[in-house]
Amino acid sequence: MSDIATSVIVDGTLDTLIAASVVTWALILIKGIQHIRISYHNRKFSKQFWGSPNIQAAAHLADEKGPAARVAGIGFATLIETDGGASTHDLDHTWDRQELLDRRLRQQMQKERGSLESGLAVLATIGSISPFVGLFGTVWGIMGALTNISKSGSASLEVVAGPIGEALVATAVGIAVAVPAVVGYNFFIRRNKVQWAFLDDFAIDFVHLALKASFIIPNPTAKSTAAAASKLTEISGGKKSAGKDSYDELVATEAHA
């Protein structure tokens, strides 16, 4: 075993661990910022949502950021889609309103869960294998040191201490890389459980509120069209001679207003 090969392998091990450390701290920073933003937007939207007089008013909240806002947005879109009965005959619309709403909310929650869990597998992998990578570098370095000792024929402390001490550095670096990765992984797993419990409770409450409102969220476009039709009828005095062009123009005016 040559000194060059030993040096390359040990140095490569240390470089790998340093790269893993950079990735670990980058992920911890990114996930930390993500959770801060999520907590802020969820608190903001929750305050606005529960401060609304009813679920119909809550449907017009402008906040589209954060998991809770996106889950609510899917819920409102589903209620508007099924208002007055779904005209589409496909498997996606074979559910009743409550089942379809619950299904869409769960699908969006799974998307949010995937976003929350992104990157955690990398942290878990680094935390698991880093000590073993460091140990590999240490073992290889000690093997090279023992080979050199056998060639020199001397086992004095001066000969043994230097090479073996350098080899043990790899194990120390491996542990130093693994500890932040494991701590970060456990921390974010805990935070994800908190966020998931919040979304789960919010989805259940949303379904109950929708049930109290008979799953009716008026479609703003439909209301504008109906208002335009009503005004057109008044203008024409109940006659049907208004014509399609006048009606389209009035609908466009009402929608713009």
Side-chain angles (χ1 to χ4, degrees):
M1 184 183 299
S2 65
D3 293 341
I4 297 177
T6 301
S7 177
V8 169
I9 292 176
V10 174
D11 289 345
T13 300
L14 291 175
D15 291 341
T16 301
L17 291 173
I18 291 173
S21 180
V22 172
V23 172
T24 296
W25 286 107
L27 283 174
I28 289 175
L29 179 62
I30 292 171
K31 299 301 291 184
I33 294 174
Q34 180 189 30
H35 277 271
I36 291 173
R37 290 169 60 89
I38 286 173
S39 297
Y40 169 77
H41 289 301
N42 279 351
R43 286 195 303 268
K44 180 180 177 182
F45 179 79
S46 181
K47 183 178 181 180
Q48 293 176 348
F49 181 86
W50 294 111
S52 302
N54 51 55
I55 193 171
Q56 286 83 3
H60 301 291
L61 293 177
D63 193 350
E64 295 289 341
K65 298 178 181 179
R70 288 189 288 268
V71 169
I74 290 295
F76 290 131
T78 302
L79 294 177
I80 292 174
E81 176 186 341
T82 58
D83 184 27
S87 59
T88 305
H89 300 286
D90 54 21
L91 289 178
D92 193 35
H93 295 84
T94 56
W95 316 81
D96 62 32
R97 288 187 177 185
Q98 184 171 352
E99 290 175 338
L100 181 59
L101 176 61
D102 186 69
R103 177 171 176 265
R104 296 276 180 85
L105 291 178
R106 291 293 171 184
Q107 288 176 340
Q108 183 62 33
M109 289 171 64
Q110 290 298 330
K111 293 180 182 179
E112 299 298 337
R113 187 172 190 173
S115 176
L116 287 172
E117 293 180 348
S118 63
L120 294 186
V122 177
L123 285 180
T125 302
I126 292 175
S128 299
I129 69 173
S130 291
F132 299 102
V133 174
L135 185 61
F136 169 77
T138 296
V139 170
W140 198 275
I142 290 175
M143 289 171 57
L146 293 176
T147 301
N148 293 335
I149 291 171
S150 65
K151 289 180 180 179
S152 64
S154 175
S156 63
L157 184 61
E158 292 80 5
V159 176
V160 174
I164 293 181
E166 292 177 357
L168 290 174
V169 172
T171 298
V173 174
I175 295 173
V177 172
V179 170
V182 172
V183 172
Y185 174 80
N186 290 333
F187 174 79
F188 291 122
I189 283 292
R190 173 59 183 165
R191 291 298 306 166
N192 286 354
K193 289 181 179 179
V194 172
Q195 296 296 340
W196 179 254
F198 171 81
L199 288 180
D200 191 55
D201 291 341
F202 179 79
I204 293 173
D205 292 339
F206 188 95
V207 173
H208 289 167
L209 290 173
L211 181 61
K212 290 178 63 177
S214 301
F215 300 99
I216 296 176
I217 300 293
N219 190 339
T221 304
K223 290 179 64 179
S224 298
T225 303
S230 176
K231 180 172 285 190
L232 181 61
T233 301
E234 293 177 3
I235 293 174
S236 62
K239 297 181 181 180
K240 299 181 179 179
S241 59
K244 183 177 183 300
D245 294 338
S246 298
Y247 176 79
D248 290 342
E249 181 179 356
L250 184 56
V251 169
T253 303
E254 287 295 318
H256 180 72

